[in-house]
Amino acid sequence: MQTAAIILCAGEGTRMKSKKPKVAHEILGRPLVQWVVEAARSAGANPIVSIVGHGSDVVKPLVDGTIAVEQPQRLGTGDAVMCAQAALADFDGSVLVLSGDCPMISASTLEQLVSAREKEKAACAVLSMKMSNPFGYGRIVRTPAGEVERIVEQKDASDEEAAICECNSGFYCFDCKLLFDALHQVGNDNAAGEYYLTDVLAILRNAGKRVIAVLAEDSEECMGVNSRVQLSEASRAMQRRINTAHMQNGVTMMAPDMVWIGPDVKISADVELLPGVMLMGNTEIGQDCTIGPNCRLTDTIVGCGCVIDETVAIEARIDDGATCGPRAYLRPGAHLMENAKAGTHVEIKKSTIGPSSKVPHLSYIGDTVMGSGVNIGAGSITCNYDGAHKHPTTIGDNSFIGSDTMMVAPVNIGSNVVVGAGSVITKDVPDSALAVARARERIIEDWACKHAKK
Ligand code: UD1
Ligand code: CA
């Protein structure tokens, strides 16, 4: 049977106290709603319909690849699901209904919900959860025989019903046709004056259909985000889930609660991540690297056997055996080739540092192509910007650039060149030459005696 999904994300999220719609807030660099879209996709749902409303100009781009439908007014979860009817008019099969603010839900739980409904030939399977403090949630009301009878919302619950600990997680799988038939019968005569999606369960049951509840194995998956405090709790929970998976795959972390890894990051075995590491975006780490402490790598590809200490790298490439830091800053387009080094207080932008070349201390290298075996002396800088334009620098193999050299671009320095310390290089230097461009030292003998204070 085919599976579709409807993701509810039209709500405002008042308790976030934010100008940004709630589902646009991020966990590990990924907006809340995208976690849910990703889980639905991995569970095989197609098509996916997103119900947007509050801040839809911000939310729509985040649900790219789904069918985004506007809910004109927030009249309740039942009204929200109804907005998907036209988009699913030709669809026949199972439809998942998901909340866009519950990022922890896993694809496997959604698959279980779908297969439970199909196996039990039920019109609806609701994912339920046991809560020690159920306040605020809808409660699952069962018949004396234990069958699911209906869901009652907190505001409408009697004292007896409010004592029920089995709650509605807000995740459901319905027979699509039966869902929309039943939704037409939902009214808004309740404490909130809203059209409740939850009323559909009793409507289906009263029409002689089967309704079941599947108890969530891990209620953490149903965790919703309504406030910044819950956002941080969900971030922690996701961090634990991701880090546990990496440790199971052979990554060492002495303090996993101090390591933050985005969902799309790939890490090979025998990598050690020290405290204070953030790996974000499409970062990849090869085998046997040691990263940290205190590193932030975003969209950066790291080879094998690299040592990266206190480094920030964005859209950079670090090939096998290269070393970085402490306190290196690799900006977009920085490429350290095999066994190259970017040392202490070194900034590199849009430059290739050739194999075994070293930029060990206090340098800025920008718009540069450097060959292999080059040594850049401490404090040397490529002056790539004339105030209006950026210009390139090239440095050939095995050249030695003395400390405190300014290479004023555009400039080409050949191979096997030696540049004297303190030089300002404005002219091209041919292969194997010595270039010195600095004021000569003058010695004035006995200067101190002549100027001594009388
Ligand atoms: C809902 C359930 C409750 C369940 C709880 C689980 C109903 C009536 N109640 O309550 O049984 O225990 O979720 O978290 O469904 N939304 C829209 N448009 C609307 C209203 C809501 O898109 O008009 C979206 C919200 O943005 C949110 C989701 O639907 O993502 C749930 O709505 P919310 O108002 O938070 O429902 P709860 O009161 O939490
Ligand atoms: Ca909610």
Side-chain angles (χ1 to χ4, degrees):
M1 204 182 279
Q2 296 266 312
T3 304
I6 301 170
I7 302 179
L8 305 185
C9 34
E12 184 172 356
T14 339
R15 279 171 286 168
M16 294 300 281
K17 305 225 166 81
S18 177
K19 55 187 174 306
K20 204 157 69 167
K22 175 165 74 177
V23 294
H25 284 264
E26 293 179 357
I27 286 183
L28 294 169
R30 181 189 274 179
L32 292 178
V33 64
Q34 282 180 2
W35 288 97
V36 183
V37 171
E38 210 33 57
R41 237 180 230 141
S42 307
N46 180 36
I48 299 173
V49 183
S50 306
I51 309 301
V52 300
H54 180 82
S56 62
D57 49 331
V58 176
V59 178
K60 270 186 192 166
L62 303 180
V63 293
D64 198 32
T66 75
I67 304 168
V69 177
E70 290 263 357
Q71 183 189 19
Q73 282 176 286
R74 253 55 72 213
L75 302 178
T77 47
D79 177 68
V81 172
M82 192 65 134
C83 295
Q85 188 176 27
L88 295 174
D90 299 326
F91 181 82
D92 192 12
S94 286
V95 62
L96 288 161
V97 176
L98 315 172
S99 286
D101 60 356
C102 297
M104 293 295 290
I105 192 71
S106 72
S108 66
T109 297
L110 295 180
E111 284 165 16
Q112 277 171 33
L113 198 58
V114 172
S115 65
R117 187 192 79 77
E118 292 175 3
K119 210 168 69 213
E120 306 255 342
K121 299 192 171 31
C124 170
V126 55
L127 187 69
S128 69
M129 52 190 186
K130 284 259 163 66
M131 304 298 275
S132 48
N133 176 13
F135 187 84
Y137 290 103
R139 311 295 207 287
I140 309 280
V141 181
R142 289 177 181 268
T143 64
E147 288 177 6
V148 176
E149 186 181 290
R150 59 196 167 89
I151 294 176
V152 62
E153 292 302 304
Q154 176 73 48
K155 285 182 183 169
D156 304 291
S158 65
D159 288 348
E160 200 183 325
E161 288 163 341
I164 298 171
C165 289
E166 189 184 5
C167 297
N168 172 19
S169 68
F171 291 97
Y172 321 77
C173 178
F174 292 96
D175 174 298
C176 191
K177 296 277 179 226
L178 296 176
L179 166 64
F180 289 110
D181 289 348
L183 269 176
H184 282 281
Q185 300 168 48
V186 171
N188 64 351
D189 181 17
N190 52 52
E194 288 183 6
Y195 293 88
Y196 290 160
L197 172 63
T198 44
D199 283 355
V200 162
L201 278 77
I203 292 169
L204 289 169
R205 189 181 147 83
N206 292 337
K209 309 292 179 198
R210 196 163 148 66
V211 173
I212 60 169
V214 176
L215 188 65
E217 280 165 29
D218 177 5
S219 61
E220 191 178 77
E221 283 195 26
C222 307
M223 182 190 269
V225 173
N226 298 303
S227 64
R228 309 264 183 169
V229 172
Q230 288 175 333
L231 184 69
S232 79
E233 286 164 358
S235 297
R236 280 279 178 198
M238 195 62 83
Q239 176 198 37
R240 271 195 300 274
R241 184 191 285 180
I242 289 177
N243 289 1
T244 301
H246 285 295
M247 288 188 279
Q248 281 164 344
N249 288 333
V251 175
T252 296
M253 300 178 207
M254 68 161 85
D257 54 335
M258 296 176 77
V259 172
W260 299 87
I261 303 170
D264 299 317
V265 172
K266 297 189 177 71
I267 310 177
S268 301
D270 289 319
V271 166
E272 181 165 20
L273 303 178
L274 298 170
V277 169
M278 291 190 91
L279 305 177
M280 292 291 139
N282 291 308
T283 291
E284 293 178 21
I285 313 287
Q287 284 186 9
D288 301 316
C289 291
T290 300
I291 318 270
N294 304 331
C295 284
R296 171 162 58 96
L297 310 187
T298 303
D299 297 322
T300 289
I301 309 296
V302 181
C304 299
C306 298
V307 175
I308 303 180
D309 184 1
E310 292 212 36
T311 291
V312 173
I314 299 162
E315 293 171 39
R317 265 180 69 186
I318 301 169
D319 292 349
D320 295 356
T323 59
C324 284
R327 316 231 166 106
Y329 181 21
L330 304 187
R331 291 168 51 200
H335 181 186
L336 299 186
M337 296 180 73
E338 270 179 50
N339 302 317
K341 173 178 179 137
T344 310
H345 296 286
V346 166
E347 176 177 339
I348 297 177
K349 184 217 79 171
K350 208 173 165 188
S351 294
T352 299
I353 309 301
S356 301
S357 287
K358 304 208 173 347
V359 189
H361 333 273
L362 302 157
S363 284
Y364 170 67
I365 303 293
D367 303 301
T368 296
V369 176
M370 197 183 290
S372 62
V374 171
N375 189 83
I376 304 288
S380 293
I381 284 171
T382 54
C383 311
N384 63 330
Y385 187 49
D386 60 14
H389 300 101
K390 302 280 167 71
H391 299 285
T393 299
T394 63
I395 304 172
D397 295 345
N398 303 314
S399 286
F400 181 95
I401 309 298
S403 295
D404 196 29
T405 295
M406 302 293 122
M407 291 163 272
V408 181
V411 70
N412 300 300
I413 296 170
S415 54
N416 297 303
V417 160
V418 174
V419 175
S423 291
V424 177
I425 300 296
T426 55
K427 288 188 291 200
D428 287 358
V429 183
D431 292 352
S432 306
L434 167 69
V436 189
R438 64 181 182 223
R440 275 191 182 278
E441 183 172 323
R442 274 204 305 157
I443 303 288
I444 301 170
E445 304 264 2
D446 293 331
W447 186 90
C449 301
K450 286 176 199 160
H451 286 80
K453 284 194 185 123
K454 299 272 158 54

